[in-house]
Amino acid sequence: MKKVLTIIIPHYNSPKLLDKLLDSIPEREELEVIVVDDNSESGKQITAECKEKNNRKAAFFINNTGKKGAGVCRNIGLQHAGGEWLLFADADDFFTENLWEKLEGYLQREADIIYFTPSSIYLETGEKAGRDRLTRNLVQNYLQSPDGETEARLRYGFESPWSKLIRNSMVKENQICFDETKVANDVMFSIKCAYAANTIAASEQNIYCVTKSKGTLTTVGGDEYFRIRLGVWVEKYKFLKKRLSNKEWKILKMRGNFWLQRAKRMGYHSGQILGMRIYLLQNGVWL
């Protein structure tokens, strides 16, 4: 049977959480699941029990490229994806109940991307967290008032690859792939997909729960990750400024001062902030 949907999951060092995620995915002939392990540390690899339990549902691959990162793993998944639609998940998150029933009505849509409203919890306690706040607001604002402004904000503000259906043929035709940076490897993938999409749609359905926990890449700071994220943002800025209409560009209100203020809050000294300011100006960023 032809695959309608491919779910791609990068995995690293969290086999128990991966098992929970796989349990949240229904077993259906129209659905394929691709899991790519990023050479997890000894004792933290995907267990044989997990593979055996899910061997009818999921295909398991190992990142043997010599490079590490979720972006590399997702690109491996893209190479094997046969579904008409793509759906991404992180190994420490999970899908909400009745996933297929929630998605089924949207799989015949002509849109190239369909955005859904995510939810978020703290991994340790199960209490509501805030990682869904930005993306949820973007989707809800568009649903409440679907105009050019809310559409532009949704397309180019929803930077995460999860909680949205993405048409596989669009990704392949435009040769869109993930960056291989340690963090923020999904930003330009999402931005390029959003730009390539002829039409988009949105749904108030909650299909995905993103978790928050101490020590993950989304919570760990540090100079290296800050500078990677800054560099990716500059690439996003240049990509969109070159391609969007003046009206769309003004809606986004992208400014580099945000990063300078953030650097100041993180404790960077004046000389470092001046260096960042020069870097932004050299790349044509408005401050």
Side-chain angles (χ1 to χ4, degrees):
M1 176 179 286
K2 184 177 180 181
K3 299 301 181 183
V4 176
L5 173 63
T6 299
I7 298 177
I8 297 175
I9 306 166
H11 170 266
Y12 183 68
N13 283 359
S14 57
K16 291 182 179 179
L17 294 174
L18 172 65
D19 199 38
K20 178 180 179 180
L21 167 59
L22 292 174
D23 283 344
S24 71
I25 300 174
E27 184 178 323
R28 299 189 62 93
E29 292 185 5
E30 312 99 310
L31 169 63
E32 69 174 352
V33 181
I34 297 174
V35 181
V36 184
D37 184 73
D38 196 22
N39 290 285
S40 294
E41 298 170 4
S42 177
K44 296 181 179 180
Q45 303 100 330
I46 304 170
T47 63
E49 290 80 6
C50 177
K51 292 180 179 179
E52 182 177 357
K53 185 176 75 172
N54 294 285
N55 65 355
R56 289 171 54 85
K57 179 191 298 183
F60 295 88
F61 298 89
I62 296 176
N63 174 13
N64 57 9
T65 64
K67 304 174 183 178
K68 287 186 68 65
V72 180
C73 293
R74 289 173 178 138
N75 286 335
I76 293 172
L78 285 174
Q79 292 171 12
H80 295 280
E84 296 177 25
W85 292 94
L86 301 171
L87 190 60
F88 293 91
D90 291 340
D92 53 355
D93 299 333
F94 57 91
F95 292 102
T96 58
E97 293 183 358
N98 303 316
L99 174 66
W100 187 260
E101 289 76 9
K102 292 176 180 177
L103 291 175
E104 195 169 16
Y106 295 92
L107 297 173
Q108 302 302 319
R109 292 284 189 95
E110 295 184 359
D112 291 317
I113 304 177
I114 303 173
Y115 298 85
F116 295 84
T117 50
S119 55
S120 178
I121 64 169
Y122 284 101
L123 192 58
E124 293 84 0
T125 65
E127 296 176 353
K128 182 175 175 56
R131 284 191 63 197
D132 62 323
R133 187 177 298 115
L134 172 62
T135 49
R136 174 178 285 275
N137 288 342
L138 290 169
V139 175
Q140 290 178 338
N141 289 341
Y142 175 74
L143 288 170
Q144 291 168 5
S145 178
D147 55 24
E149 180 173 344
T150 56
E151 179 174 335
R153 293 187 183 281
L154 176 58
R155 281 183 184 250
Y156 305 116
F158 199 132
E159 296 179 344
S160 301
W162 35 254
S163 199
K164 54 191 173 191
L165 287 169
I166 303 172
R167 192 172 295 280
N168 194 5
S169 59
M170 178 192 71
V171 173
K172 286 182 166 55
E173 288 168 7
N174 290 278
Q175 299 181 330
I176 303 172
C177 61
F178 288 84
D179 289 341
E180 296 179 350
T181 52
K182 289 184 179 180
V183 291
N185 54 73
D186 48 1
V187 172
M188 289 308 299
F189 175 85
S190 292
I191 296 306
K192 289 177 181 179
C193 285
Y195 180 75
N198 288 322
T199 57
I200 67 167
S203 170
E204 62 184 6
Q205 290 276 15
N206 171 218
I207 65 168
Y208 189 79
C209 183
V210 56
T211 66
K212 186 173 183 178
S213 179
K214 294 180 180 179
T216 63
L217 287 181
T218 53
T219 58
V220 172
D223 179 68
E224 180 185 11
Y225 289 172
F226 179 85
R227 292 184 182 276
I228 290 173
R229 289 190 173 98
L230 172 59
V232 171
W233 183 86
V234 169
E235 289 305 308
K236 172 185 174 179
Y237 181 100
K238 293 193 294 186
F239 179 89
L240 293 177
K241 192 172 189 300
K242 181 178 179 180
R243 292 166 175 82
L244 297 187
S245 66
N246 287 335
K247 183 178 180 180
E248 289 175 309
W249 178 249
K250 289 179 180 179
I251 289 171
L252 298 183
K253 298 179 181 178
M254 296 182 69
R255 297 290 187 274
N257 270 332
F258 164 81
W259 288 94
L260 301 180
Q261 294 166 2
R262 188 174 176 183
K264 185 176 181 180
R265 290 195 302 268
M266 290 179 63
Y268 284 91
H269 59 68
S270 58
Q272 292 173 310
I273 295 174
L274 176 60
M276 292 178 196
R277 182 183 180 87
I278 294 172
Y279 166 72
L280 290 168
L281 290 172
Q282 287 176 336
N283 280 276
V285 174
W286 297 351
L287 299 179

